[in-house]
Amino acid sequence: MSTRQFGEKVQRREDPRLLTGNGRYLDDLGRGSLEAAFVRSPHAHARVVDVDIDDAWEVDGVEAIYTWEDLDGRVAEPLPVLIPHPALTHPRVGYCLAKDEVNHVGEAVVMVVARNRYLAEDAAARIRVRYETLPVVVGIEKARDGGVLVHDDVPDNVSAHLLQEVGDLEAAMAAAPHRLTLELEIERSACMPMEGKGVYARWDADDQSLRLYSSTQTTTGVRAAVAAKLGMPLAKVECVAPDVGGGFGVKIMHPWPEEVLVPWAARNLGRDVKWTEDRREHFTSSAHERSQLQEVTVGFDDDGRLLALDVRFWHDNGAYTPYGIIVPIITATQLLGPYKPGAYRVEFWSLYTNTVLVTPYRGAGRPQGCYAMERTMDAIAAELGLDRAEVRSRNFIQPDEMPYDHGLMFQDGRPLRYDSGDFPASLAKLKALVGWDDFAAYRRDAEAAGRKVGLGIGCYVEGTGVGPYEGGHVHVETSGRVNVATGLTTQGQGHQTILAQIVADELGVRIEDVHVTTGDTRRMAYAVGTFASRGAVMSGNAVALAAKVVRTKALRIAADALEVSPDDLRIDDGVISVKGTPDGPHIDLSTVAVMSNPLRYAFDASAQAATQFAGTFDPDKPPVADDDEPGLEGQDFYSPTQATFANGMHAAIVETDPVTAEIRILRYCVVHDCGVMVNPMIVEGQVHGGVAQGVGGALYERMAYDESGQLLNASFMDFLIPYASEVPHIETDHLETPSPLNPLGIKGAGEAGTIPVTAVIASALEDAEGFPIRSMPISPSELWTLRRQHAASATGPSSATGPSSTSDPDPAQEGPR
Ligand code: MCN
């Protein structure tokens, strides 16, 4: 009998290849091709007055130099707005090469193609661009001030304004016995995958076709965009994602200018062309996320139950909005987490600034939302003198209230309706894991030893497995090899393993015989991409459905041959036999694959085996029946009516140095519920990676823009990504509340670890220090400064030890740093 693979900690099948240096990343391809380099704007806001390329042609090996003037057809038109929204009243996008204005440092102005990258860079360095600088908008405060405009025709720098309301907020707020207002800030960070973006284009002049390799999270998206921009039939464009060294969201954006320019240049020159992004380019020419200013007013009763929640926030969308307003919409809807808010009103303004554009980064708006909500929960607990976990628990949506409809519109334009979850059970697990009830004693002991420790908590709900669809194709070769294809791409999540686990079980074959291809439009032309923690839900269910199609066909053919009913057959390790008679007649799937295809090869061992069933073929019938197709293969698509909602709760114990304010995470505990787990080891790895990124966002990473829009820390020398030494040991426990929405009961897991970390660390630091933390990330020097401010204010008459209420403002929370 086959060993069940689903739910097992199967070792990642891709690792031996990747860990032994046999990965094939974008820059491993196209040796000997021409290479591109870009001249990028050194100014955050300027008019391009003149471009002088004469000197650059002096460099031996230069093949082409392009400015916007040289572009033709739709390549010269603005880049698309991928996800329009009615509230996005002023969408603005750039061009592949700046036309006459640049809006952030790093925007591409000139493209150079040369024999190799060195020569292309040398030539680029000789190009002189004359700019007329313009006033610059950096930061949300300056953007909402509206005195300086990023785009002349966008009043107040507002790209979008959206308000959603459920219930009578005014009345509920007025009636609430308690009210608090919090002003919060969260800063910019970025995905920073190990491998930056990259494109390699092969133009086939004879066939007039294009093979494009891109380090992307969506090959079908890139293919469609490039075909449209280059005016080519879709059938003449193929897009393949080779191994991708991380994406974390930034590579779902498409088309990046380079994804259009590189193939366009390849076609122009009739040569292969490649471009790989360097780290500085990734800092200044890809995408960032996170930056928001938030104002939360909450009304609650004596027990800490929410009666009214009024949230306003200002979101920095950078210079352009090609990806629409998905990120602030997610913040607005997902900040509610596991709680019932009472009457709820949320309103945001998405603002242009002269900085790198903003697209989703792992968590995609949720870390900010979770931060707002969890800071609010802590503030309520402090105001009422209640236990912080207890306040959360009193506001939970209960399991018997599922499915729970918040009455809001989610990011996919569908209702924000939670499908399942058991928040009280998760909290109980988390409290047990971290030792919540013993912490007071632990703190007393620590304090007696002169140490400052604090315990923080954060809860979140995450809409995962967002539609519209994903497909699966399963093909059994006559050798017995099972080829599985799905269109979404993979960046390190282990899809080759988990999709093989699912197909092995559904089809009844050995996992060793299953080979998975992702992100190759030659194998699966209809697909969406990898984002929104949707891979397991969408492609997992799609390949399961496709495997069922193949199984049904295999059983039908075998049943004919064995003259039994398909219902009496089973498939184990690729062998079809009659149930209850293990030693009876049987057929290998490989033999069935031969029988499924009238074109038989005599040299094929399975073909010879199939001759014993030759009697099943009727010479009077056509080789392929009207209602049949040759081959043992099948395809199906999974398309859900709505997202499925995963959830989790984290707690951390931190220690702060009483003198230097150095911050150490002593323990980090995670309880996580992503429905049924396909591979618990991979889920755990995903959670660990997510927490590591969250720790970076909470304590280290920020984009240090100066007032003129220069990114001062655009290198790994200055931008602090946590090393293994900064990432705490992570203790994990799981709850599996199956999703009722999909056949496998799966919810997503890929972003979960990241979402609450900033909120949890803020909560723990506040608990350790005894004063409000309102701006994250926070460094030891900032914590030290807050300590001094708090000590100074504590000596005055209006001292405050917790987050402020409307009637009790706290000086430490007066605006962001
Ligand atoms: N999984 C599982 N059981 C579940 C849910 C998930 O075994 N119930 C497994 C999946 O099968 C998959 C992994 O966990 O191997 C993540 O699955 P899922 O939550 O479906 O997320 P995606 O596959 O859609 O991956 C995208 C998600 C996102 S949105 C970001 S951002 C992210 C992330 O995954 N970027 C990553 N994890 C990353 N991991 C790596 N190494 N690199 C990135 O760029």
Side-chain angles (χ1 to χ4, degrees):
M1 202 169 123
S2 310
T3 313
R4 189 170 160 76
Q5 302 290 333
F6 194 106
E8 293 300 317
K9 294 183 174 182
V10 176
Q11 291 284 339
R12 284 171 37 122
R13 310 173 81 207
E14 42 276 82
D15 284 351
R17 193 171 59 79
L18 298 179
L19 294 176
T20 52
N22 287 303
R24 204 164 142 268
Y25 297 90
L26 197 283
D27 201 37
D28 296 322
L29 311 176
R31 293 286 155 96
S33 66
L34 299 179
E35 294 198 67
F38 290 87
V39 176
R40 298 181 183 277
S41 170
H43 300 293
H45 199 188
R47 265 189 260 289
V48 180
V49 179
D50 181 52
V51 183
D52 180 353
I53 60 171
D54 290 349
D55 267 6
W57 278 112
E58 301 290 316
V59 176
D60 186 31
V62 170
E63 296 284 338
I65 301 175
Y66 302 114
T67 65
W68 180 83
E69 309 280 339
D70 302 307
L71 306 181
D72 55 25
R74 293 191 61 188
V75 179
E77 293 175 9
L79 290 158
V81 178
L82 276 181
I83 312 174
H85 189 281
L88 180 60
T89 50
H90 293 81
R92 292 294 177 271
V93 284
Y95 293 82
C96 289
L97 293 171
K99 189 173 171 216
D100 38 33
E101 188 173 314
V102 285
N103 281 297
H104 65 88
V105 170
E107 193 165 348
V109 183
V110 187
M111 179 192 197
V112 179
V113 183
R115 206 163 56 231
N116 61 45
R117 178 67 176 262
Y118 301 99
L119 296 173
E121 293 282 1
D122 286 351
R126 288 170 169 239
I127 291 172
R128 283 184 293 279
V129 183
R130 206 149 54 79
Y131 297 93
E132 179 189 318
T133 57
L134 297 167
V136 172
V137 179
V138 173
I140 293 174
E141 294 283 18
K142 183 131 186 212
R144 70 179 177 185
D145 167 62
V148 178
L149 296 181
V150 175
H151 303 285
D152 286 346
D153 55 349
V154 179
D156 301 321
N157 293 312
V158 176
S159 68
H161 172 225
L162 184 64
L163 186 148
Q164 293 200 63
E165 185 165 358
V166 188
D168 187 343
L169 191 278
E170 303 294 336
M173 193 66 84
H178 305 272
R179 282 188 295 279
L180 284 173
T181 295
L182 287 81
E183 289 182 7
L184 303 163
E185 183 195 34
I186 194 159
E187 288 193 22
R188 266 184 183 233
S189 188
C191 302
M192 291 300 149
M194 273 211 257
E195 183 201 26
K197 300 190 293 291
V199 199
Y200 165 49
R202 284 165 53 177
W203 173 253
D204 183 334
D206 292 338
D207 191 44
Q208 292 288 295
S209 65
L210 184 70
R211 165 93 54 85
L212 190 64
Y213 293 87
S214 179
S215 183
T216 179
Q217 291 175 226
T218 170
T219 47
T220 46
V222 173
R223 179 195 192 204
V226 169
K229 277 283 185 192
L230 270 59
M232 292 179 65
L234 197 61
K236 292 286 185 183
V237 181
E238 298 164 345
C239 186
V240 181
D243 287 321
V244 173
F248 305 112
V250 64
K251 295 175 183 175
I252 191 64
M253 230 310 283
H254 65 278
W256 286 104
E258 301 86 356
E259 277 171 333
V260 176
L261 291 170
V262 168
W264 176 80
R267 185 175 65 178
N268 273 1
L269 300 169
R271 303 273 301 277
D272 294 359
V273 180
K274 182 169 83 167
W275 167 77
T276 48
E277 188 180 56
D278 66 30
R279 188 54 61 184
R280 182 180 294 267
E281 285 180 303
H282 191 74
F283 269 99
T284 61
S285 317
S286 59
H288 301 162
E289 216 231 79
R290 304 282 198 252
S291 177
Q292 285 180 2
L293 289 183
Q294 306 166 331
E295 188 184 289
V296 182
T297 301
V298 61
F300 50 99
D301 67 15
D302 296 340
D303 296 326
R305 287 198 175 81
L306 300 177
L307 300 173
L309 185 64
D310 189 7
V311 179
R312 305 193 315 152
F313 68 93
W314 293 262
H315 171 81
D316 177 354
N317 61 225
Y320 301 113
T321 48
Y323 209 79
I325 48 172
I326 286 292
V327 172
I329 290 177
I330 295 177
T331 304
T333 48
Q334 294 265 265
L335 71 79
L336 295 175
Y339 311 114
K340 288 179 276 191
Y344 179 51
R345 181 170 66 194
V346 62
E347 184 174 16
F348 71 76
W349 292 261
S350 194
L351 302 173
Y352 287 112
T353 57
N354 290 114
T355 56
V356 175
L357 54 96
V358 164
T359 66
Y361 161 33
R362 199 177 200 172
R366 294 178 189 86
Q368 301 94 312
C370 180
Y371 172 66
M373 193 72 218
E374 295 299 306
R375 300 285 64 237
T376 304
M377 283 292 160
D378 281 355
I380 293 170
E383 180 77 5
L384 298 177
L386 291 172
D387 176 76
R388 290 170 294 162
E390 181 58 28
V391 169
R392 285 166 169 84
S393 151
R394 288 176 187 175
N395 286 290
F396 279 160
I397 296 161
Q398 297 300 313
D400 62 4
E401 292 176 283
M402 298 288 180
Y404 187 87
D405 197 331
H406 275 288
L408 297 165
M409 184 97 79
F410 190 43
Q411 70 179 96
D412 52 2
R414 289 166 184 258
L416 182 71
R417 190 191 302 123
Y418 296 174
D419 51 324
S420 64
D422 189 341
F423 308 134
S426 286
L427 183 63
K429 271 179 178 277
L430 183 72
K431 286 175 71 174
L433 186 63
V434 74
W436 184 269
D437 295 331
D438 302 329
F439 184 72
Y442 176 80
R443 190 207 302 272
R444 267 196 306 279
D445 291 347
E447 278 173 357
R451 297 168 56 211
K452 261 176 185 288
V453 293
L455 172 61
I457 182 172
C459 311
Y460 68 92
V461 169
E462 180 196 1
T464 66
V466 174
Y469 70 86
E470 214 57 66
H473 183 272
V474 174
H475 171 219
V476 184
E477 290 188 11
T478 54
S479 63
R481 175 189 163 107
V482 180
N483 301 311
V484 178
T486 188
L488 62 64
T489 57
T490 191
Q491 302 87 47
Q493 294 90 343
H495 295 136
Q496 265 90 10
T497 307
I498 69 108
L499 298 176
Q501 286 178 259
I502 292 171
V503 170
D505 281 2
E506 294 290 340
L507 193 52
V509 295
R510 298 179 323 143
I511 191 167
E512 295 82 2
D513 293 329
V514 184
H515 302 267
V516 177
T517 301
T518 57
D520 185 338
T521 60
R522 296 169 300 178
R523 296 289 308 283
M524 176 60 74
Y526 290 95
V528 182
T530 301
F531 60 98
S533 299
R534 65 193 293 281
V537 174
M538 302 301 299
S539 282
N541 281 289
V543 299
L545 292 172
K548 277 200 176 76
V549 172
V550 174
R551 182 187 176 91
T552 304
K553 180 167 186 178
L555 292 180
R556 173 170 55 77
I557 294 170
D560 269 1
L562 298 171
E563 297 177 333
V564 294
S565 159
D567 296 339
D568 292 334
L569 295 176
R570 54 183 297 157
I571 314 180
D572 294 300
D573 290 343
V575 179
I576 304 176
S577 60
V578 179
K579 287 176 189 165
T581 58
D583 301 326
H586 59 270
I587 311 181
D588 290 350
L589 265 185
S590 55
T591 306
V592 174
V594 175
M595 294 162 71
S596 73
N597 186 350
L599 180 69
R600 309 244 203 109
Y601 295 99
F603 51 81
D604 187 316
S606 297
Q608 283 159 23
T611 54
Q612 65 179 293
F613 302 106
T616 58
F617 290 95
D618 183 340
D620 293 332
K621 285 187 183 165
V624 180
D626 286 348
D627 59 352
D628 206 356
E629 289 175 357
L632 188 51
E633 64 182 314
Q635 176 168 295
D636 209 340
F637 289 85
Y638 174 66
S639 179
T641 51
Q642 64 156 85
T644 170
F645 288 81
N647 67 85
M649 301 182 185
H650 295 195
I653 297 177
V654 302
E655 178 166 2
T656 58
D657 188 287
V659 179
T660 65
E662 189 189 346
I663 300 161
R664 279 206 306 144
I665 302 172
L666 301 181
R667 287 187 66 202
Y668 201 97
C669 299
V670 174
V671 171
H672 182 248
D673 183 353
C674 60
V676 183
M677 288 185 278
V678 186
N679 186 324
M681 187 173 66
I682 290 184
V683 169
E684 202 142 309
Q686 285 287 309
V687 169
H688 287 189
V691 170
Q693 255 170 333
V695 167
L699 295 177
Y700 306 108
E701 298 170 8
R702 68 186 79 207
M703 293 295 166
Y705 275 103
D706 71 7
E707 282 185 356
S708 65
Q710 296 296 333
L711 185 55
L712 302 178
N713 60 346
S715 85
F716 280 165
M717 293 293 287
D718 303 301
F719 180 83
L720 302 178
I721 282 187
Y723 296 152
S725 48
E726 278 80 43
V727 177
H729 171 68
I730 299 156
E731 301 162 60
T732 317
D733 195 0
H734 299 280
L735 195 71
E736 287 186 277
T737 317
S739 170
L741 298 176
N742 64 75
L744 301 178
I746 307 176
K747 302 176 180 185
E751 293 161 281
T754 312
I755 295 168
V757 184
T758 291
V760 172
I761 301 295
S763 171
L765 288 172
E766 192 167 285
D767 189 48
E769 298 287 335
F771 52 77
I773 304 291
R774 299 294 169 77
S775 183
M776 293 292 277
I778 189 164
S779 66
S781 64
E782 286 160 339
L783 185 63
W784 188 83
T785 305
L786 279 180
R787 262 186 200 166
R788 285 173 59 98
Q789 283 175 0
H790 180 71
S793 71
T795 56
S798 61
S799 67
T801 54
S804 67
S805 69
T806 43
S807 56
D808 182 17
D810 182 340
Q813 66 141 352
E814 275 173 9
R817 286 185 309 271

